[in-house]
Amino acid sequence: KEEIPVPIPDREPCVPPSPPALLPRAKPQPALQPQTPSKPSCPFVPEFGVGGAARLSHAEPTMAAEAASLCASRRHGDAKGRCPHGTTGWVLGCCQHGVGCGVPRASWTPTLPFRGRSRPDAYSKRFIPVSSISRVASVGDQKFEVVTNNRNFVFRAESDADRNEWIQTLQQVAEERKSKAPERTPMSLTAPDATELVDKSGFLELRGFKHKLFVAVAGDKVFLYKNSEDYRQGIGITYIEMNVGNVKEVDRRGFDLTTPYRIFSFSADSDQEKEEWVEAMRHAIAEALSNSEVAERIWALEPNRFCADCGSPQPDWASINLCVVICKRCAGEHRGLGPGITKVRSLKMDRKVWTEELIELFHHIGNAVANQFWAANVPPSEAIGPGSSSQDRRRFLIAKYREGKYRRYHPLFGNQEELDRALCAAVTTSDLAETQALVFCGAAVTCATGDPQCPTPLALAEKSGQRLQMEFLLHNKTSETPRLEVGGSEEKHYSVLLPCVTHNGFLYKTPSMAKPVSERKGQEEFSRRWCTLQDGVLSYYENDRNAVPNGEIKAGDIVCLVNNPPHTHGIESTFEVYIESERLYLFGLDCPEAAREWLKSIAKSFVPPHAEELLSHDFERIGRLLYKGGLNLERAKEGWFALAGSTLYVCFEDSEHQEALQLRKLQELSIQGDNEVLVLVERRRTLYIQGERRLDFLGWVHAIQKAAGSSGDTLSEQQLTEGDVPMLVDRCIDYITQCGLTSEGIYRKSGQNSKTTSLLEMLRRDARSVRLKEGEHHVDDVANTLKRFFRDLGDGLFTRRWSQDWLRATALEDEEAKIREYRRLLDTLPTVNRATLKALINHLFRVQRFSGDNQMNTHNLAIVFGPTLFQTDGKDYKAGRVVEDLISHYVKIFNVNDQEMKKQQDEITAIMKMREAASSGTQQAGDFICTVYLEEKKTETEQHVKIPATMTAEELTFEILDRRKIVTKEKDYWSCFEVNEREEAGRPMPGDLPARVPSAWGLCPGRCWGCGLCSALGFALTLGKPRPGPEPKAALSLQSHKPEKEWPVRNLRVYLGVKKKLRPPTCWGFTVFYENEKHEKQQWYLCCDTQADLREWFATFLHVQVCTCWWGGEQCSTQKGEQSLRVAPSWAFHSED
């Protein structure tokens, strides 16, 4: 049944909108692809009540012959005055099988709408395209039948005479249509040129209808169809002329189309769909209100009636500097070339541009003359047509206008001086084709003429009265010459000097911002804009028909490009563009693939060629930053950075290839100053990243910090050491190794649950910044944290895939076969799992070595860690057997050699000695990071070094030399010097002593000045050449002659310098520390009269302690002033007391 009440015929005159000639303008949605309609199994039943009349009239179609239709209107006066030779009258309509269909007055127009009978209404109930009418015949008294492709309609007139007039008129017009377009159907979507004429089509909800209607926006009209099948057949409900329409957004998905006759309330499926419909209808309004006078005048020339590039009919756009008329689709690609190549304007809407001179210029040049130059050598294989894709159009237009690939070369091409001279002569004549050829072959529009009164070609044209020459020169004043490379005289080649990145399409955009995006942006905050990327400029327009952009972003101004995670904002995929002027632009698309294409294109437009390697990564953030690193830290350099996952790729200024920084393996990540410098410390380098612009630098800091942290619950997602062991595991193992090897019941006792939870959370968040300290963290809490980490580990340590194979290996009776199986399974584990398992078993191997103290032998440890590592309930004894076998056969399974075993034993011994030697205070667990300076204490000589417990001073020295790429020569002397935190005292470290020796004030560690004696010594050994330094401080002079105490020199720690607060009488002093077997400590402050005395005393101490001469060949003195020094076995010390 009809969904809207059927009106009663009314003879009140009314002038409805003139119906259009409808041709599809755009490819419909995939669901609406053209199909060959099958003949319906049941007859078509119109939705109108019985009774009613119609009036028919005839009018010539305005656009295309195949678009004419038979329509029924509501009032007798609806079409009056528009159909001078047509037929009008009242008829009743029904279907082929006699079902009555109330057909109001019908009119012969490009469409035949069936209108209502009761109230005045300008909009029909049904229209039939005349081109689909195959036969019109009389079927009885006052009746006639209209036969279409798959439906038949029966009408009844008021009299036989009226019926005969209807039949004659319909037959006449149908024949005319067929003769003009015999092979085309009005609504067929199979014709390639037809699909381009629908701006928008699809389903919409319309208030008053139970079901969705199929709506099509074509030209300056909107058509309503009952469904997509009717759309394909061309049988519609009504059409709305947009010259009287206005579109207004109502709510999130709804909008109103208001006309003087009715308000159509539509509702779309989504916000994006609504915006597309609103934009399409507003374009139709602009089309309806446009002035076609200019177009008609320019179309007066036959070549101008077709697009100069693809040949589409009735082009309504033009390039005013190239003097070519183009279609809408080519105009979009022209805009992408940039205003330096082509200036696009509308023939119908940009009225102010079209002066009489410009219109006359298009009459003299136009498509015919222009293509004789631009398209003189187009190969048929490269030409485009009306149905060509956007990519093909873009490729062709770039070659045609940007590269000048197909142009006709001027005989003077390549000779700049002759070209300019010829241009000055041509502008004084009416030969516009010559001027065009000269300008676009390289002649300078602003060249010097040599005439002081007319210094430019424009002045010469004005003097000569050549108005059209002046118009052409004005529009090409800033035009670019096609880029090409001049070849020999016989053959000329073209080439693109720089890679041209082009891209265009619709993007959602927010207004630019001056601060980071801290809150989620809703979809309503985005505006849909047409964007083009061409010639290093990202331009955004109000829509794809505007010629003037709303704004532009130059690629050279872009400093950072960010790809946000999906659904960060109301649009599914968004990205941010940061520019030099501290502005941020947010763009988005609902299609992730399309957004990624935009990202790649924009990145390629501003990343220099030497950093193009960065574009191969699936980056989250890419841009340029200032950095300091390497040997020269005085000047900041510009580098290009790309963040992908947990890896930071860098193209340094002086490097040919990119380098990768594994952020999760950093030894230190800190911020210096007021968020101005980001410090990244690796094993072999320190990188300082500086914030030149605060807006994008804060984003980099946040992103790098996040990438350097743990991101999940699997091993590979944790912060890692250089050995691929999670830092959380390394911290816990190191602390327990130093503080808990002898703790009774270690790993068997449970710590406090609250402390365990808190510690695990801190370590998961950022294990790098956590320092486990004795006294602050209990051993059992740390042990419980380690166990809980493995128990909650995603995928487990042995992985779900291989865990059952590990358990089955315990059934092997032959021990050698079992070990081989364990080795095989070990090789199948991921790298991080394998390294972590080895580190853990190595640790448990150490723990069981102290089972006499901690009561945790191999079996007890296996009972604890078996269910933990395999994440079982403890009922399966095989889990414990696996752990027990791994500990028992640790050396064989993990291929541990003798050297590695000795190193582990030395570490344990050193740790136990330190534990025995320590008295009060706290100790940090794990390796520590120390600041080391090369020769001088300056920022540019600074290095950050991770110092393990067993690293010696010699190893530390070579580590620094290796980092700075310094090659030592035969007579070079390098030393490592330790100073206390306040830099009041220091000492050179003998090469075989551990670099990690706590100072007398319990500072573990002190700060080291590496590779040279510090300034506190008074000189620096640099490449074997002494150099003066600042004076040290002393505290106590030697005055007494009576010995009071003796100490073994080898057990003393001697530091140059003393505390400043003691105010020593001379500036040449040193501090002596002694600790006896009972751990009783003493310290003395001594001073000398001269620097030479201090040097000799200190050299003597070193000579006795390391059994070698410090001065490298010089005779060491054993006398000091009036006192004698017993160098072995003890030292006599005198004090005033």
Side-chain angles (χ1 to χ4, degrees):
K1 303 233 175 170
E2 178 58 88
E3 298 172 356
I4 296 180
V6 179
I8 299 174
D10 190 342
R11 296 182 180 273
E12 179 183 354
C14 177
V15 180
S18 59
L22 176 61
L23 286 178
R25 280 184 176 251
K27 190 174 183 179
Q29 300 175 357
L32 305 177
Q33 290 297 326
Q35 303 174 0
T36 303
S38 59
K39 189 167 184 177
S41 56
C42 59
F44 168 71
V45 180
E47 299 178 344
F48 312 106
V50 179
R55 171 177 53 83
L56 293 178
S57 63
H58 174 266
E60 287 296 328
T62 57
M63 293 178 62
E66 67 273 19
S69 303
L70 182 67
C71 58
S73 59
R74 294 186 178 212
R75 293 177 303 277
H76 188 70
D78 282 353
K80 190 175 182 179
R82 293 184 297 142
C83 312
H85 58 280
T87 302
T88 64
W90 293 91
V91 296
L92 290 178
C94 63
C95 72
Q96 181 181 15
H97 295 272
V99 179
C101 57
V103 183
R105 291 177 297 275
S107 62
W108 170 242
T109 65
T111 58
L112 172 59
F114 295 73
R115 305 185 192 273
R117 299 178 301 172
S118 59
R119 55 184 175 84
D121 195 344
Y123 301 106
S124 66
K125 292 294 184 179
R126 184 73 71 181
F127 61 82
I128 305 170
V130 172
S131 59
S132 67
I133 297 176
S134 59
R135 184 170 59 87
V136 181
S138 172
V139 293
D141 295 340
Q142 303 176 2
K143 295 180 183 179
F144 64 93
E145 182 182 45
V146 177
V147 181
T148 65
N149 295 333
N150 55 2
R151 295 184 186 181
N152 296 352
F153 297 89
V154 177
F155 296 88
R156 186 176 63 204
E158 292 181 336
S159 64
D160 290 342
D162 288 344
R163 178 199 61 188
N164 296 336
E165 191 176 358
W166 276 106
I167 294 174
Q168 181 181 359
T169 303
L170 288 173
Q171 289 176 341
Q172 177 184 351
V173 176
E175 289 299 326
E176 290 178 0
R177 302 302 174 186
K178 291 179 181 180
S179 63
K180 292 182 180 179
E183 298 180 358
R184 299 178 62 179
T185 57
M187 302 304 296
S188 173
L189 299 181
T190 59
D193 56 341
T195 60
E196 302 173 9
L197 301 178
V198 168
D199 295 314
K200 176 72 176 173
S201 63
F203 285 96
L204 284 176
E205 295 179 8
L206 178 60
R207 186 182 302 170
F209 283 78
K210 295 179 181 179
H211 305 288
K212 291 184 179 180
L213 299 183
F214 192 88
V215 183
V217 181
D220 59 353
K221 297 172 182 64
V222 174
F223 293 83
L224 306 183
Y225 300 87
K226 181 180 177 182
N227 49 48
S228 58
E229 182 67 22
D230 283 0
Y231 168 69
R232 283 189 288 270
Q233 296 172 5
I235 302 175
I237 297 174
T238 190
Y239 58 88
I240 306 164
E241 295 223 34
M242 299 301 284
N243 62 335
V244 293
N246 181 44
V247 181
K248 179 181 178 182
E249 299 184 40
V250 177
D251 52 31
R252 194 160 171 259
R253 296 189 300 113
F255 61 96
D256 288 347
L257 173 55
T258 305
T259 71
Y261 315 103
R262 180 178 173 182
I263 297 178
F264 297 86
S265 297
F266 293 102
S267 181
D269 291 335
S270 65
D271 295 358
Q272 180 181 354
E273 277 289 310
K274 182 199 74 173
E275 291 188 11
E276 292 177 358
W277 279 107
V278 169
E279 183 178 349
M281 290 189 182
R282 286 176 177 169
H283 168 61
I285 294 174
E287 185 86 5
L289 298 178
S290 61
N291 189 347
S292 60
E293 179 185 353
V294 172
E296 295 293 344
R297 292 180 61 184
I298 290 181
W299 290 343
L301 273 72
E302 180 68 22
N304 290 349
R305 297 175 189 172
F306 301 90
C307 176
D309 298 322
C310 72
S312 295
Q314 295 182 329
D316 52 1
W317 293 81
S319 172
I320 59 175
N321 66 313
L322 301 177
C323 296
V324 293
V325 187
I326 53 180
C327 66
K328 176 184 174 180
R329 293 190 64 186
C330 288
E333 301 302 332
H334 269 259
R335 279 198 298 267
L337 297 177
I341 301 296
T342 174
K343 300 174 183 177
V344 182
R345 297 294 184 268
S346 172
L347 297 181
K348 296 181 179 180
M349 291 180 283
D350 297 323
R351 304 177 187 177
K352 295 182 180 179
V353 174
W354 295 100
T355 61
E356 286 297 325
E357 289 79 6
L358 183 57
I359 295 175
E360 192 175 346
L361 183 64
F362 269 75
H363 286 170
H364 283 77
I365 299 180
N367 291 355
V369 176
N371 273 339
Q372 288 176 6
F373 171 76
W374 288 108
N377 303 295
V378 178
S381 60
E382 298 184 21
I384 60 174
S388 298
S389 65
S390 297
Q391 292 78 7
D392 291 338
R393 292 174 191 269
R394 187 180 308 120
R395 172 195 52 78
F396 177 77
L397 296 180
I398 289 174
K400 182 177 181 181
Y401 297 113
R402 177 181 298 283
E403 301 171 7
K405 180 179 179 180
Y406 314 122
R407 60 183 164 172
R408 175 176 54 81
Y409 291 96
H410 194 278
L412 300 177
F413 177 76
N415 190 330
Q416 187 64 49
E417 185 177 349
E418 292 297 328
L419 284 172
D420 293 345
R421 186 179 295 111
L423 177 64
C424 293
V427 296
T428 61
T429 69
S430 60
D431 193 348
L432 292 169
E434 175 71 5
T435 302
Q436 180 189 45
L438 289 168
V439 168
F440 291 111
C441 280
V445 175
T446 58
C447 66
T449 62
D451 186 353
Q453 296 181 351
C454 302
T456 64
L458 181 62
L460 286 175
E462 183 179 9
K463 181 180 179 181
S464 303
Q466 297 295 333
R467 296 181 303 108
L468 300 186
Q469 294 279 10
M470 292 174 57
E471 189 74 12
F472 182 82
L473 294 176
L474 285 172
H475 289 297
N476 286 284
K477 203 169 185 178
T478 58
S479 295
E480 300 176 11
T481 303
R483 287 186 260 179
L484 46 83
E485 188 174 290
V486 180
S489 58
E490 298 181 359
E491 184 178 2
K492 301 176 176 63
H493 305 276
Y494 79 98
S495 64
V496 181
L497 301 181
L498 293 174
C500 178
V501 182
T502 61
H503 203 74
N504 60 42
F506 280 102
L507 285 174
Y508 289 95
K509 176 187 173 295
T510 63
S512 64
M513 293 162 276
K515 59 182 181 180
V517 184
S518 57
E519 298 179 353
R520 175 183 170 88
K521 296 286 186 181
Q523 187 172 359
E524 65 279 358
E525 299 182 63
F526 287 82
S527 301
R528 193 165 180 261
R529 296 288 181 264
W530 175 261
C531 300
T532 63
L533 176 63
Q534 183 68 43
D535 278 346
V537 179
L538 175 61
S539 306
Y540 48 94
Y541 300 78
E542 186 71 24
N543 52 55
D544 60 342
R545 296 171 302 279
N546 282 22
V548 180
N550 291 5
E552 294 180 342
I553 304 173
K554 294 182 179 179
D557 293 338
I558 300 177
V559 297
C560 183
L561 182 63
V562 179
N563 182 21
N564 290 324
H567 304 289
T568 301
H569 301 286
I571 304 297
E572 180 176 355
S573 300
T574 57
F575 58 90
E576 301 170 9
V577 178
Y578 294 79
I579 62 174
E580 283 275 10
S581 58
E582 299 275 359
R583 302 295 297 180
L584 161 63
Y585 295 84
L586 180 61
F587 296 91
L589 273 175
D590 283 328
C591 177
E593 293 77 14
R596 197 68 195 172
E597 286 298 319
W598 270 106
L599 274 171
K600 290 288 187 181
S601 299
I602 295 174
K604 190 175 181 180
S605 71
F606 79 95
V607 174
H610 76 272
E612 281 187 351
E613 282 183 285
L614 301 178
L615 301 178
S616 62
H617 305 290
D618 189 20
F619 58 84
E620 303 163 16
R621 181 180 292 262
I622 189 171
R624 54 185 168 94
L625 292 166
L626 297 179
Y627 74 93
K628 289 183 180 180
L631 297 175
N632 184 11
L633 298 178
E634 297 180 359
R635 181 181 67 87
K637 303 177 182 178
E638 184 179 85
W640 289 87
F641 296 75
L643 179 62
S646 62
T647 305
L648 182 64
Y649 298 93
V650 188
C651 284
F652 294 109
E653 186 179 272
D654 50 359
S655 177
E656 295 182 359
H657 300 286
Q658 66 180 7
E659 299 184 35
L661 281 74
Q662 301 298 328
L663 298 179
R664 289 187 184 145
K665 292 187 178 182
L666 291 178
Q667 296 179 1
E668 179 186 345
L669 178 63
S670 60
I671 300 177
Q672 294 181 356
D674 185 17
N675 289 331
E676 295 176 352
V677 180
L678 184 64
V679 183
L680 290 77
V681 181
E682 282 190 314
R683 175 172 174 75
R684 295 195 173 274
R685 73 173 141 200
T686 301
L687 184 65
Y688 301 86
I689 300 178
Q690 298 185 359
E692 184 181 10
R693 298 158 303 275
R694 185 175 181 84
L695 183 61
D696 67 293
F697 181 70
L698 290 178
W700 277 105
V701 170
H702 176 73
I704 291 176
Q705 288 176 332
K706 183 178 179 181
S710 301
S711 60
D713 59 356
T714 62
L715 285 175
S716 60
E717 294 174 315
Q718 309 300 312
Q719 293 176 332
L720 303 174
T721 65
E722 289 189 34
D724 289 320
V725 178
M727 203 165 288
L728 183 152
V729 176
D730 185 69
R731 288 277 190 267
C732 293
I733 287 177
D734 203 3
Y735 179 80
I736 295 172
T737 300
Q738 293 192 45
C739 306
L741 286 180
T742 59
S743 177
E744 184 177 352
I746 184 67
Y747 290 117
R748 188 180 69 243
K749 293 181 179 179
S750 297
Q752 295 185 24
N753 186 59
S754 60
K755 291 185 177 180
T756 298
T757 303
S758 175
L759 180 58
L760 181 59
E761 184 180 345
M762 286 193 303
L763 288 169
R764 280 187 180 277
R765 185 168 55 249
D766 188 9
R768 187 185 297 109
S769 62
V770 177
R771 294 290 181 266
L772 301 177
K773 298 181 180 179
E774 190 176 9
E776 292 185 14
H777 303 93
H778 195 275
V779 170
D780 292 331
D781 295 334
V782 177
N784 205 36
T785 299
L786 183 63
K787 290 190 297 180
R788 185 179 295 183
F789 170 75
F790 281 113
R791 185 171 63 248
D792 299 340
L793 193 63
D795 198 35
L797 178 60
F798 293 96
T799 71
R800 294 187 180 93
R801 178 182 179 185
W802 300 104
S803 59
Q804 294 302 315
D805 291 25
W806 284 89
L807 296 175
R808 283 192 290 267
T810 59
L812 297 175
E813 297 180 359
D814 182 43
E815 288 298 316
E816 291 299 326
K818 186 187 297 185
I819 291 174
R820 286 195 299 271
E821 179 64 10
Y822 283 143
R823 284 179 177 174
R824 184 189 70 81
L825 292 173
L826 187 64
D827 292 336
T828 62
L829 292 178
T831 302
V832 177
N833 295 56
R834 185 165 58 249
T836 305
L837 180 60
K838 181 178 180 180
L840 177 63
I841 299 302
N842 174 39
H843 170 63
L844 298 180
F845 181 78
R846 295 182 183 185
V847 172
Q848 61 88 27
R849 295 279 296 272
F850 292 87
S851 58
D853 297 322
N854 57 36
Q855 304 300 314
M856 294 297 292
N857 56 27
T858 302
H859 182 69
N860 292 339
L861 290 172
I863 292 175
V864 173
F865 274 93
T868 298
L869 298 182
F870 282 93
Q871 300 175 338
T872 62
D873 54 6
K875 295 180 180 180
D876 191 349
Y877 69 93
K878 296 179 182 178
R881 286 284 302 276
V882 172
V883 176
E884 188 171 354
D885 289 342
L886 292 177
I887 299 175
S888 300
H889 302 291
Y890 164 70
V891 176
K892 290 185 177 180
I893 294 175
F894 293 94
N895 294 321
V896 181
N897 54 37
D898 295 339
Q899 183 179 359
E900 191 173 352
M901 286 296 297
K902 182 178 183 302
K903 182 179 179 181
Q904 294 178 8
Q905 185 60 41
D906 292 342
E907 290 180 1
I908 295 175
T909 303
I911 291 171
M912 298 310 296
K913 285 184 177 180
M914 290 178 62
R915 294 285 299 166
E916 294 173 0
S919 56
S920 59
T922 60
Q923 279 187 270
Q924 290 184 348
D927 303 343
F928 64 83
I929 296 176
C930 175
T931 303
V932 180
Y933 295 90
L934 178 64
E935 299 189 88
E936 299 177 277
K937 186 188 175 185
K938 293 182 178 180
T939 304
E940 55 267 22
T941 64
E942 186 178 86
Q943 289 285 322
H944 298 276
V945 186
K946 183 179 181 181
I947 302 181
T950 57
M951 178 179 277
T952 64
E954 180 182 13
E955 292 173 339
L956 176 60
T957 302
F958 282 110
E959 170 79 11
I960 298 298
L961 293 175
D962 183 54
R963 286 192 183 191
R964 305 306 290 266
K965 300 179 182 179
I966 297 177
V967 180
T968 57
K969 299 180 181 179
E970 183 179 355
K971 295 184 179 181
D972 291 349
Y973 296 93
W974 294 92
S975 174
C976 179
F977 203 94
E978 178 195 6
V979 296
N980 73 328
E981 189 174 34
R982 296 183 180 178
E983 303 177 11
E984 296 176 327
R987 63 166 180 158
M989 301 285 291
D992 58 347
L993 293 183
R996 188 176 172 177
V997 179
S999 65
W1001 300 285
L1003 299 174
C1004 183
R1007 299 182 70 190
C1008 295
W1009 287 6
C1011 308
L1013 291 177
C1014 75
S1015 57
L1017 180 59
F1019 58 86
L1021 293 181
T1022 307
L1023 302 179
K1025 298 179 181 180
R1027 185 174 63 221
E1031 295 182 353
K1033 306 297 181 181
L1036 186 64
S1037 61
L1038 304 175
Q1039 298 178 359
S1040 175
H1041 295 279
K1042 182 180 179 180
E1044 294 181 356
K1045 294 182 180 180
E1046 280 187 359
W1047 294 290
V1049 175
R1050 291 184 182 275
N1051 294 343
L1052 299 179
R1053 293 205 310 271
V1054 185
Y1055 289 84
L1056 292 168
V1058 296
K1059 294 181 180 180
K1060 296 179 180 180
K1061 66 180 181 179
L1062 297 178
R1063 298 181 181 178
T1066 69
C1067 60
W1068 309 107
F1070 53 92
T1071 304
V1072 179
F1073 292 89
Y1074 174 71
E1075 184 176 2
N1076 59 21
E1077 296 178 355
K1078 298 180 181 180
H1079 302 297
E1080 296 174 347
K1081 292 183 179 180
Q1082 296 182 11
Q1083 62 188 41
W1084 299 88
Y1085 305 97
L1086 305 99
C1087 66
C1088 302
D1089 293 329
T1090 65
Q1091 181 183 10
D1093 290 340
L1094 177 64
R1095 292 174 60 187
E1096 192 170 353
W1097 270 107
F1098 204 85
T1100 303
F1101 282 124
L1102 292 175
H1103 173 72
V1104 174
Q1105 288 180 335
V1106 301
C1107 298
T1108 184
C1109 183
W1110 178 257
W1111 303 117
E1114 297 181 5
Q1115 182 65 33
C1116 294
S1117 172
T1118 58
Q1119 299 287 334
K1120 172 65 189 81
E1122 299 175 355
Q1123 303 176 14
S1124 61
L1125 175 65
R1126 292 175 296 190
V1127 296
S1130 62
W1131 171 49
F1133 174 73
H1134 303 263
S1135 71
E1136 182 181 24
D1137 199 21

